[in-house]
Amino acid sequence: MGSFPRFTLGFLIVSCILYQCSAFEVDSNQTARFFVNSSEASARKIPETLFGIFFEEINHAGAGGLWAELVNNRGFEAGGQNTPSNIDPWSIIGDGSSLIVATDRSSCFDRNKIALRMEVLCDGQGTNVCPVGGVGIYNPGFWGMNIEQGKTYKVVLYVRSLQSVNISVSLTGSNGFQTLATANIIAADISTWTKAEVLLEAKETNHNARLQLTTSKKGVIWFDQVSAMPLDTYKGHGFRNDLVGMLRDLKPQFIRFPGGCFVEGEWLRNAFRWKETIGPWEERPGHFGDVWKYWTDDGLGYFEFLQLAEDLGSSPVWVFNNGISHNDQVASAIIAPFLQEILDSIEFSRGDSNSTWGSVRAAMGHPEPFHLRYVAVGNEDCGKKNYRGNYLKFYYAIKQAYPDIKIISNCDGSTRQLDHPADYYDYHIYSDASTVFSLARKFDHTSRSGPKAFVSEYAVTGKDAGTGSLLAALAEAGFLIGVERNSDVVEMASYAPLFVNANNRQWNPDAIVFNSFQLYGTPSYWMQHFFTESSGGTLFNSTLQANSSSSLVASAISWQNLEDNKNYIRIKAVNFGSNTVNLKVSIDGVEPNSFQSYGSTKKVLTSSNLMDENSFKEPNKVVPVESQLEDAGEDMEVILSPHSFTSFDLSIESPNLQMPGAGTDSVRKSSN
Ligand code: AHR
């Protein structure tokens, strides 16, 4: 320092103060290197099944959600089998001087005996004249029906009366004043139960509509099994088009259903019983799901779940009740009837149309078998007293009858070996963001022998998640990169829960939020889009070198796009830290100049605030933003923004170039 001129020191101090800001920015940029070995020897095929979805009847995901039925409690059964009973959410138009309604047990359907008796006291003329528009009942659906101008709705109902009737069937606004569509059922002789059908074309739109059955004619009318469905449903199979669209975009390789705790029930008497959910919809008894505490008419039943799987091109994963609920259990010694139920369910799905249960499926319009190849014995029941005993009975009986069916155990085999045979073990993780992010390494050291892992439920929950935050999505992306890298032992993974009706949030967060007419994906939904090409793709060995590697994870895969018939290498990286990262990527094992900038893209999921969420008002606040990737090459430098998830799709020059490790059956073609 002695020989340093004094003015130089002064200059240095001043310039450090002046440049403090930018100096900080430069210092805060971190560099990292990502080496990808894309040689054939390093490549490993990713299971075709890796990424799928888990549908649970929770948050009105199905009833009042994916299932397009507009009437809630269509058979008046929700109030129970003892009469008189509550008919909620049905209500009356008129008052005690003009009509009396009460449930009785006069239905023509054996499994759901409750019907509604409506005694009309007023008339078109005389001393007790009905009010203008008549008196009757209405159903508001699930927090309002979405009725859209120009669309047609099919109303089906069962009716009986000893007099002639003139009933108006109308779709109206929430207070009944705005008539959206109306038709009349006029009948002289309906002294036995009669099915009536009307088609209503809406002349206006109302997202909060209701269905009314009214009359101005004195007499007694019974109603039962009243349904209103839009004609326009996905493939005509009864699913709400917009919600299925969100699922299709995820290209799910499997669909796990119907729960979750929904399968178990708080008590066995309220668990999901598949036989009660099949056959003509009018004959289904419906049930009260006592875990999530709402009634379902079970229009979305076992058959419809299998149909949905087929429509999505996904493998069904049937989670069945194994004689265990949250509060009661069937002893293994007397589990045989439960076991028979499940064998019957498999026959229903796979048996030929001459078999006992296959013929029931055929009668429902699906003579060809469904492709059921996965079943899970219960949900989260491993620790329970009878689990192992019951499990073994199910396992051996199913394997004997259907050796190809893969059986999923509830017991976690990631930390110790299972003490029973299984094809998969179930792994669920709900935790805060840093725990979930750190679990990217969870499967690095698990045993490579024994059953494979099925991560059937994962999500960040609690404060970090809000009702669906960017922070949660980033942590989950890190976890999934770990899953992808370990896809030799983890063969299936799905986020949970999938859907929430915003009017009935029982579980936070969820992937897709909707009401009667709107919907949006949470950041966790969009995060899953980065993995849609992974199932069936090819994973490459890669190494990440970074100063603070604890906030970075990355992977590299190849995949083939059928739409443009091109091969791509996709690099995905999560920057979980608050610094910008300059990432130097080097890809070995490809010919020089293999990549072309044209067609190469970059996709980023980030936002200005870690806790940012999407909403009905701002559905696209946190969504992936795609741009052209300039300078795509074997050696390239890319920027990872703070708190971001980025993917780089490098387009390979020659469409005929055989990707390393990508033999004809080792690359999944993207066809959706
Ligand atoms: O996904 C919500 C619930 O979380 C599921 O029903 C259950 O399996 C888990 O505890």
Side-chain angles (χ1 to χ4, degrees):
M1 179 85 70
S3 63
F4 234 82
R6 294 185 72 160
F7 74 89
T8 312
L9 186 63
F11 173 77
L12 278 179
I13 292 167
V14 170
S15 60
C16 278
I17 293 166
L18 281 177
Y19 287 93
Q20 198 177 17
C21 233
S22 60
F24 175 77
E25 277 176 8
V26 171
D27 283 343
S28 73
N29 269 20
Q30 296 187 344
T31 53
R33 302 212 59 175
F34 187 54
F35 299 97
V36 179
N37 178 353
S38 68
S39 67
E40 180 117 34
S42 121
R44 178 162 48 73
K45 179 153 163 42
I46 300 172
E48 299 281 354
T49 50
L50 189 56
F51 292 113
I53 53 177
F54 163 43
F55 179 95
E56 173 160 21
E57 182 58 88
I58 180 175
N59 304 318
H60 277 87
L66 186 65
W67 189 242
E69 173 62 69
L70 295 168
V71 176
N72 183 356
N73 186 17
R74 62 187 175 195
F76 308 98
E77 237 73 24
Q81 292 300 306
N82 296 326
T83 58
S85 54
N86 193 351
I87 58 168
D88 186 67
W90 289 92
S91 198
I92 61 164
I93 299 163
D95 59 28
S97 67
S98 52
L99 85 167
I100 300 169
V101 296
T103 52
D104 65 18
R105 294 182 51 81
S106 66
S107 170
C108 55
F109 300 112
D110 285 341
R111 291 197 293 175
N112 47 26
K113 290 305 294 177
I114 302 292
L116 188 80
R117 179 183 187 277
M118 179 171 100
E119 183 171 357
V120 179
L121 307 173
C122 61
D123 210 345
Q125 56 197 5
T127 50
N128 187 4
V129 177
C130 291
V132 179
V135 296
I137 54 173
Y138 71 86
N139 188 293
F142 302 87
W143 303 280
M145 298 176 179
N146 180 36
I147 302 300
E148 295 181 79
Q149 183 179 14
K151 294 216 165 151
T152 303
Y153 301 83
K154 179 169 160 184
V155 179
V156 180
L157 55 89
Y158 287 76
V159 61
R160 183 168 84 90
S161 181
L162 300 178
Q163 298 92 26
S164 63
V165 296
N166 184 347
I167 302 162
S168 298
V169 180
S170 320
L171 293 166
T172 73
S174 61
N175 52 16
F177 294 144
Q178 180 195 19
T179 300
L180 306 165
T182 190
N184 280 64
I185 298 172
I186 301 170
D189 178 15
I190 49 166
S191 56
T192 55
W193 281 105
T194 303
K195 183 177 183 178
E197 252 184 59
V198 294
L199 291 179
L200 298 176
E201 189 183 325
K203 54 181 198 271
E204 283 176 72
T205 291
N206 190 316
H207 305 305
N208 188 20
R210 70 190 202 185
L211 174 73
Q212 297 190 164
L213 305 175
T214 52
T215 184
S216 297
K217 193 168 177 309
K218 192 172 171 167
V220 179
I221 306 174
W222 282 264
F223 291 115
D224 197 11
Q225 296 302 334
V226 183
S227 162
M229 286 284 264
L231 279 194
D232 180 21
T233 61
Y234 189 68
K235 297 196 177 200
H237 289 154
F239 308 111
R240 216 174 110 170
N241 270 316
D242 52 351
L243 295 180
V244 180
M246 295 285 275
L247 301 186
R248 268 180 58 99
D249 291 348
L250 288 177
K251 301 178 183 170
Q253 299 303 307
F254 65 83
I255 173 166
R256 177 181 183 246
F257 67 87
C261 297
F262 179 70
V263 165
E264 304 169 81
E266 283 301 334
W267 298 95
L268 279 171
R269 62 176 172 271
N270 295 317
F272 181 82
R273 299 251 166 256
W274 75 273
K275 282 184 186 168
E276 308 288 290
T277 71
I278 58 161
W281 60 267
E282 306 88 316
E283 295 175 19
R284 301 182 191 181
H287 83 287
F288 178 69
D290 61 350
V291 175
W292 307 120
K293 308 235 172 318
Y294 60 89
W295 172 264
T296 57
D297 290 318
D298 289 330
L300 176 54
Y302 182 58
F303 174 92
E304 287 76 17
F305 283 118
L306 293 165
Q307 184 65 66
L308 177 65
E310 183 177 273
D311 289 351
L312 290 170
S314 318
S315 279
V317 181
W318 161 220
V319 184
F320 60 75
N321 184 291
N322 60 332
I324 298 179
S325 78
H326 286 179
N327 292 295
D328 54 349
Q329 306 186 25
V330 176
S332 307
I334 51 169
I335 199 67
F338 286 74
L339 183 51
Q340 190 54 52
E341 288 275 303
I342 298 315
L343 291 174
D344 291 347
S345 77
I346 300 174
E347 186 180 280
F348 176 89
S349 168
R350 302 183 22 152
D352 71 45
S353 51
N354 296 318
S355 61
T356 310
W357 287 101
S359 67
V360 179
R361 180 199 68 238
M364 291 181 72
H366 203 288
E368 293 306 316
F370 289 110
H371 300 292
L372 178 68
R373 287 188 296 122
Y374 300 91
V375 297
V377 185
N379 174 67
E380 293 184 344
D381 292 329
C382 180
K384 297 187 182 141
K385 193 172 106 213
N386 295 336
Y387 186 70
R388 193 173 180 281
N390 289 5
Y391 175 90
L392 288 173
K393 298 221 168 167
F394 282 102
Y395 180 88
Y396 288 117
I398 294 170
K399 280 287 179 193
Q400 191 182 10
Y402 303 97
D404 65 307
I405 286 203
K406 304 282 184 214
I407 300 183
I408 303 156
S409 161
N410 285 179
C411 299
D412 177 6
S414 67
T415 42
R416 61 191 165 110
Q417 272 202 326
L418 299 189
D419 62 358
H420 52 267
D423 295 298
Y424 292 87
Y425 63 86
D426 209 349
Y427 177 81
H428 294 182
I429 172 69
Y430 295 103
S431 196
D432 59 88
S434 24
T435 305
V436 170
F437 185 75
S438 70
L439 288 173
R441 310 211 79 89
K442 159 82 192 164
F443 294 98
D444 287 4
H445 305 294
T446 56
S447 165
R448 267 35 203 172
S449 62
K452 305 290 183 188
F454 179 6
V455 180
S456 71
E457 298 183 25
Y458 71 85
V460 171
T461 49
K463 271 212 315 270
D464 288 349
T467 52
S469 65
L470 171 66
L471 173 60
L474 296 180
E476 290 151 5
F479 174 65
L480 284 198
I481 284 183
V483 162
E484 187 176 90
R485 293 171 65 98
N486 285 286
S487 52
D488 55 330
V489 283
V490 188
E491 287 201 347
M492 301 165 98
S494 45
Y495 179 89
L498 185 59
F499 282 123
V500 60
N501 185 319
N503 296 291
N504 182 239
R505 275 184 190 274
Q506 283 161 322
W507 185 286
N508 261 332
D510 308 272
I512 300 165
V513 185
F514 63 88
N515 58 23
S516 78
F517 71 107
Q518 293 166 299
L519 73 165
Y520 65 87
T522 59
S524 296
Y525 169 80
W526 291 108
M527 174 280 296
Q528 295 176 60
H529 279 241
F530 289 69
F531 293 89
T532 50
E533 312 305 342
S534 298
S535 310
T538 301
L539 179 79
F540 295 128
N541 269 344
S542 57
T543 315
L544 186 65
Q545 284 177 358
N547 309 345
S548 84
S549 56
S550 58
S551 60
L552 275 189
V553 286
S555 69
I557 67 161
S558 70
W559 63 283
Q560 189 183 35
N561 188 346
L562 262 196
E563 275 154 30
D564 60 11
N565 198 28
K566 278 187 174 173
N567 293 316
Y568 290 86
I569 284 189
R570 174 174 292 178
I571 292 166
K572 296 192 283 296
V574 180
N575 180 2
F576 201 55
S578 49
N579 296 317
T580 300
V581 174
N582 296 327
L583 185 70
K584 289 189 177 154
V585 177
S586 308
I587 304 173
D588 269 358
V590 282
E591 300 288 313
N593 304 319
S594 289
F595 300 112
Q596 50 181 7
S597 284
Y598 178 75
S600 293
T601 54
K602 169 183 164 182
K603 201 156 68 173
V604 187
L605 183 70
T606 190
S607 194
S608 49
N609 190 311
L610 251 184
M611 292 309 291
D612 276 353
E613 298 191 357
N614 294 326
S615 61
F616 289 130
K617 263 196 180 145
E618 287 183 284
N620 297 325
K621 186 169 179 174
V622 193
V623 295
V625 175
E626 197 169 318
S627 57
Q628 195 68 31
L629 176 64
E630 310 298 342
D631 306 327
E634 300 90 83
D635 292 296
M636 59 177 194
E637 233 177 286
V638 294
I639 302 284
L640 305 178
S641 311
H643 303 306
S644 66
F645 182 25
T646 311
S647 74
F648 305 94
D649 271 314
L650 306 175
S651 164
I652 292 165
E653 181 70 38
S654 157
N656 300 321
L657 179 76
Q658 184 65 37
M659 284 301 298
T664 38
D665 65 346
S666 66
V667 167
R668 172 173 170 265
K669 299 195 184 257
S670 160
S671 54
N672 297 38

